[in-house]
């Protein structure tokens, strides 16, 4: 018989729980979602929160980088996710350049994402847009920072590379993390940094760090759902743990369906109207 696993609530409820979880030494689990059906599944699980990541541009729309994401695209995905997961904490990504064109344009983007159902926004980097981050937070919108491998800067990095390996780069990341905390961010994503750097940034901050390729010493983890499910195997970074071989399972289902159709086993009388 088909059994949907029980939810071991309580899980994270609101933005204040991020700090509480860190203070209590409880890890935070986050996954991405971009559409209603997967958001519904995540909402029925024990995962704490959903990130509507701009990785949607790659995973859902087939682009090579996240640079193609727009505010309209992110608002559309956020609406689908938030509508299907009304009791789950949803963070929406501010897309490429949306926070680099001054406060007014940034606030238009924030408005679009929040009115689509997000409870917080995430944006990459800190240098040069400190005033924008302060303004968003001052307007009552929680902001999650994101440093390390910030994919919107992939063209400046010369590819998707681990960041913070040199002493200078590590010191810079630590400074950025402190800057984001001082500006009032509620949490920071650390992407693709050496595990010891992830742990030391985490130990210096009072706000929780959420790692992706940042080792086990962060306060939580985030993974792209399609990576975790093994349904998007075009590029699998080293930090991904695949919990099921979704590609194999789904292809097998498609092939069984195709065979049933060809051999007239589908539909059966029970699957037909009299
Ligand atoms: O867009 C995204 O999916 C992200 C990650 C942190 C996974 O920003």
């Amino acid at each position: 018989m088909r059994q949907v696993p029980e939810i071991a609530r309580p899980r994270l409820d609101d933005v204040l729980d991020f700090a509480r979880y860190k203070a209590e030494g409880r890890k935070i689990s986050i996954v991405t979602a971009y559409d209603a059906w997967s958001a519904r599944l995540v909402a029925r699980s024990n995962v704490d929160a959903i990130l509507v990541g701009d990785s949607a541009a790659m995973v859902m729309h087939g682009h090579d980088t996240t640079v193609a994401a727009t505010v309209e695209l992110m608002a559309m995905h956020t609406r689908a996710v938030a509508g299907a997961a009304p009791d789950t904490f949803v963070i929406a990504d501010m897309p490429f350049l949306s926070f680099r064109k001054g406060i007014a344009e940034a606030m238009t983007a924030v408005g679009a994402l929040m009115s689509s159902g997000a409870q917080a926004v995430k944006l990459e980097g800190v240098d040069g847009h400190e005033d924008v981050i302060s303004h968003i937070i001052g307007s009552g919108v929680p902001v999650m920072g994101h440093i390390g491998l910030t994919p919107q800067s992939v063209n400046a990095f010369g590819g998707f590379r681990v960041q913070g390996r040199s002493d200078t780069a590590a010191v810079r990341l630590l400074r950025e993390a402190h800057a984001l905390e001082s500006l009032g961010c509620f949490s920071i994503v650390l992407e693709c940094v050496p595990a010891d750097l992830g742990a030391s940034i985490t130990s210096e901050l009072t706000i929780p760090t959420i790692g992706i390729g940042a080792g086990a010493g962060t306060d939580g983890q985030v993974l792209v759902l399609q990576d975790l499910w093994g349904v998007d195997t075009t590029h699998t970074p080293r930090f991904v743990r695949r919990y099921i071989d979704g590609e194999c399972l789904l292809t097998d289902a498609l092939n069984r369906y195709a065979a049933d159709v060809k051999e007239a086993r589908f539909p059966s009388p029970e699957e037909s109207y009299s």
Side-chain angles (χ1 to χ4, degrees):
M1 195 177 79
R2 183 173 173 272
Q3 277 207 318
V4 180
E6 282 286 304
I7 302 178
R9 291 186 188 271
R11 55 178 192 170
L12 189 147
D13 268 336
D14 55 38
V15 71
L16 303 180
D17 276 347
F18 279 81
R20 189 167 66 80
Y21 269 45
K22 176 155 183 150
E24 292 172 0
R26 290 166 68 183
K27 298 272 191 186
I28 299 165
S29 57
I30 303 179
V31 293
T32 62
Y34 319 111
D35 57 70
W37 75 266
S38 59
R40 214 170 285 123
L41 281 177
V42 178
R44 286 196 214 123
S45 76
N46 296 323
V47 169
D48 287 307
I50 294 177
L51 170 67
V52 186
D54 60 353
S55 49
M58 300 172 74
V59 177
M60 301 299 280
H61 299 281
H63 295 286
D64 289 337
T65 72
T66 59
V67 166
T70 62
V71 173
E72 293 68 31
L73 183 97
M74 294 310 300
M76 178 190 74
H77 286 296
T78 303
R79 249 189 323 276
V81 167
D87 299 325
T88 304
F89 193 80
V90 173
I91 306 145
D93 246 340
M94 297 273 288
F96 184 58
L97 298 186
S98 61
F99 46 93
R100 297 288 302 191
K101 300 178 192 159
I103 290 177
E105 276 215 36
M107 292 314 291
T108 304
V110 170
L113 299 177
M114 297 302 283
S115 63
S116 298
Q119 274 110 23
V121 297
K122 173 168 84 57
L123 55 79
E124 296 185 5
V126 54
D127 290 348
H129 48 274
E130 294 90 340
D131 55 340
V132 175
I133 297 174
S134 282
H135 194 88
I136 300 171
I137 295 170
S139 310
V141 175
V143 172
M144 175 180 254
H146 183 166
I147 56 174
L149 170 56
T150 44
Q152 292 169 14
S153 303
V154 64
N155 292 304
F157 291 148
F160 294 96
R161 296 172 199 281
V162 177
Q163 301 295 307
R165 279 206 158 123
S166 70
D167 288 349
T168 322
V171 168
R172 203 194 66 229
L173 283 176
L174 193 57
R175 176 186 57 74
E176 289 177 351
H178 278 295
L180 288 168
E181 177 165 82
S182 305
L183 287 167
C185 288
F186 70 93
S187 175
I188 301 177
V189 168
L190 298 179
E191 179 160 353
C192 270
V193 301
D196 56 351
L197 179 60
S200 70
I201 293 177
T202 301
S203 68
E204 290 214 13
L205 300 182
T206 55
I207 57 173
T209 56
I210 307 296
I212 173 159
T218 55
D219 297 304
Q221 300 289 331
V222 55
L223 274 183
V224 168
L225 193 56
Q226 283 75 1
D227 288 341
L228 180 161
W229 279 340
V231 291
D232 184 1
T233 54
T234 45
H235 173 63
T236 309
R238 170 193 170 125
F239 58 75
V240 166
R241 183 177 295 176
R242 200 179 282 166
Y243 283 84
I244 51 167
D245 187 347
E247 192 172 72
C248 231
L249 288 172
L250 294 177
T251 308
D252 178 58
L254 288 172
N255 287 340
R256 284 191 291 121
Y257 161 71
D260 283 351
V261 171
K262 285 185 209 315
E263 286 158 40
R265 287 192 301 259
F266 176 81
S268 65
E270 295 73 36
E271 289 155 337
S272 308
Y273 298 105
S274 55

